[in-house]
């Protein structure tokens, strides 16, 4: 009995020491919003109160353009993922993008509700606050799912739709970023609020790129810093543990707007099978598969992906 008691004492002591070491090496407290704004907001940045949140957004380009293009980023990303597109589009178009709740400088929903319906309501309130009654709506991953669901809920507000490696069908991932996997594991996901190793963030970003050499230190630093915005790490967990809702999939066939389906051929998170499902279900679409690109083609291959978008808009 004494040996067993001694064994467990040593075991628990070892675990405690290991946890302390892990926390010392990889523990990170939340970053100050003042610090993050100084680094990731610029002259084009503005903030607007929507649903009790101070939402970070950028409204750029041709103010006389009556049909703005509104761009929605994906999970754990930010409006910066569209930087390269916006830099070109704003020369002629009116371009609006924001940090979705749970991510970037905006931070979490006050009620911690991360359902797609909640995001659709948020986009509706944001557009009304910006006096946007009709737009071209584009989104990547989670942003793509929000975009098509918004189009179903408010068809009169969407002129054209752009789906970029969009979520919406049951996932058949061949590889999932480690940060996403941990966020779904009970008990272990509670540690994300305090322990966020830089190598985990880098690995997660590399996972959604086809060409890992394009994942620069500056890019990883941005993802890492914005993940440490107060509330964002818990929000990621809250978002990732939600059950998948397939109830609106049959409604995709009701979307009449011209739609561009833009997909990275090497997307491991949402493989091109989903692109073909959208292509089969949407009655008025154009499907373009981009070779040698992954889950975020507007970031990894800005030039080639934007060429397709420009052609779609002109068409």
């Amino acid at each position: 009995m004494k040996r067993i008691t001694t064994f467990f004492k040593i075991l628990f002591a070892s675990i405690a020491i290991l946890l302390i070491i892990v926390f010392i090496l990889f523990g990170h407290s939340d970053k100050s919003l003042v610090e993050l704004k100084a680094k990731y907001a610029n002259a084009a940045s503005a903030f607007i109160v929507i649903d009790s949140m101070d939402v970070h957004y950028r409204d750029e380009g041709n103010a006389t353009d009556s049909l703005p293009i509104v761009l929605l980023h994906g999970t754990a990303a930010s409006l910066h993922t569209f930087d390269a597109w916006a830099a070109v589009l704003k020369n002629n178009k009116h371009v609006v993008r924001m940090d979705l709740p749970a991510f970037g400088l905006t931070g979490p929903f006050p009620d911690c509700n991360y359902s797609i319906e909640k995001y659709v309501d948020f986009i509706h309130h944001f557009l009304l606050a910006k006096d946007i009654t009709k737009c071209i709506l584009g989104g990547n991953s989670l942003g793509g799912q929000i975009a098509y669901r918004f189009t179903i809920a408010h068809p009169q507000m969407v002129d054209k739709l752009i789906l970029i490696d969009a979520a919406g069908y049951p996932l058949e991932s061949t590889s999932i970023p480690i940060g996403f996997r941990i966020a779904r594991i009970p008990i272990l996901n509670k540690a994300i609020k305090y322990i966020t190793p830089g190598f985990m963030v880098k690995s997660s970003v590399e996972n959604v790129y086809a060409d890992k050499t394009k994942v620069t230190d500056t890019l990883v630093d941005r993802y890492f810093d914005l993940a440490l915005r107060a509330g964002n790490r818990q929000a990621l967990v809250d978002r990732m543990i939600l059950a998948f809702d397939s109830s609106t999939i049959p409604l995709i066939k009701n979307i009449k707007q011209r739609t561009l389906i833009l997909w990275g051929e090497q997307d491991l998170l949402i493989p091109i099978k989903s692109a073909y499902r959208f292509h089969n279900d949407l009655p008025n679409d154009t499907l373009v598969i981009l070779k040698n690109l992954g889950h975020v083609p507007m970031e990894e291959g800005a030039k080639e992906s934007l060429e397709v978008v420009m052609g779609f808009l002109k068409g």
Side-chain angles (χ1 to χ4, degrees):
M1 180 62 74
K2 286 184 177 181
R3 287 182 178 180
I4 293 174
T5 302
T6 301
F7 170 78
F8 279 108
K9 284 182 178 180
I10 294 172
L11 176 63
F12 291 138
S14 299
I15 292 173
I17 292 171
L18 179 62
L19 289 174
I20 291 171
I21 293 172
V22 169
F23 186 81
I24 291 172
L25 292 176
F26 306 117
H28 295 279
S29 59
D30 291 334
K31 289 209 170 197
S32 156
L33 189 54
V34 172
E35 175 189 356
L36 291 173
K37 283 183 177 181
K39 190 172 183 179
Y40 294 106
N42 64 14
S45 292
F47 292 83
I48 185 172
V49 177
I50 305 290
D51 300 341
S52 301
M53 294 172 291
D54 203 18
V55 176
H56 176 222
Y57 74 98
R58 292 184 185 172
D59 185 334
E60 302 170 281
N62 183 2
T64 64
D65 179 12
S66 61
L67 193 63
I69 180 167
V70 177
L71 299 171
L72 312 179
H73 65 77
T75 298
S78 64
L79 58 74
H80 299 85
T81 198
F82 288 106
D83 277 352
W85 277 21
V88 176
L89 287 170
K90 70 181 182 181
N91 292 326
N92 297 297
K93 291 290 298 176
H94 180 189
V95 186
V96 180
R97 51 198 166 121
M98 81 293 293
D99 286 341
L100 291 170
F103 313 114
L105 298 177
T106 296
F109 275 122
D111 63 359
C112 302
N113 176 2
Y114 297 98
S115 66
I116 299 299
E117 291 83 1
K118 181 77 172 182
Y119 277 110
V120 167
D121 286 344
F122 164 79
I123 296 299
H124 188 222
H125 299 161
F126 177 89
L127 294 181
L128 292 180
K130 290 291 297 170
D131 293 323
I132 297 173
T133 57
K134 197 160 195 173
C135 67
I136 298 165
L137 187 59
N140 170 240
S141 195
L142 167 64
Q145 186 175 13
I146 296 167
Y148 91 71
R149 288 281 293 272
F150 182 89
T151 304
I152 292 170
H154 305 282
Q156 75 284 357
M157 296 184 72
V158 180
D159 181 73
K160 297 181 185 69
L161 182 62
I162 303 172
L163 302 178
I164 313 153
D165 296 71
Y169 294 101
L171 281 181
E172 297 184 29
S173 307
T174 56
S175 182
I176 299 174
I178 185 172
F180 290 8
R181 294 201 302 270
I182 292 175
R184 291 171 176 160
I185 301 173
I187 299 177
L188 191 58
N189 58 17
K190 296 184 183 304
I192 284 183
K193 287 174 59 178
Y194 311 102
I195 301 172
T196 310
F199 70 81
M200 182 181 78
V201 176
K202 181 178 182 180
S203 172
S204 295
V205 177
E206 288 179 339
N207 189 270
V208 296
Y209 270 61
D211 184 354
K212 316 304 182 192
T213 65
K214 292 183 179 180
V215 179
T216 64
D217 290 342
T218 300
L219 182 68
V220 173
D221 286 347
R222 188 188 78 212
Y223 276 92
F224 181 68
D225 286 344
L226 293 175
L228 298 183
R229 193 266 191 219
N232 281 358
R233 285 180 282 184
Q234 181 59 53
L236 175 64
V237 173
D238 293 340
R239 171 76 195 126
M240 296 305 292
I241 62 176
L242 286 179
F244 178 74
D245 177 12
S246 62
S247 62
T248 61
I249 290 177
L251 300 179
I252 293 173
K253 295 180 179 180
N254 297 333
I255 295 174
K256 306 301 181 186
Q257 285 81 352
R258 282 188 59 223
T259 302
L260 172 63
I261 304 166
L262 190 61
W263 226 270
E265 186 182 43
Q266 303 302 318
D267 189 345
L268 304 180
L269 180 59
I270 309 180
I272 58 173
K273 182 177 180 179
S274 285
Y276 289 111
R277 290 197 65 175
F278 276 116
H279 180 54
N280 290 331
D281 285 346
L282 287 164
N284 186 16
D285 74 282
T286 299
L287 171 62
V288 178
I289 304 296
L290 298 168
K291 294 184 179 297
N292 304 317
L293 292 177
H295 184 62
V296 285
M298 67 288 177
E299 192 173 80
E300 183 182 5
K303 182 179 179 181
E304 51 265 53
S305 59
L306 184 56
E307 284 178 357
V308 177
V309 171
M310 298 287 279
F312 173 73
L313 296 179
K314 290 178 181 177

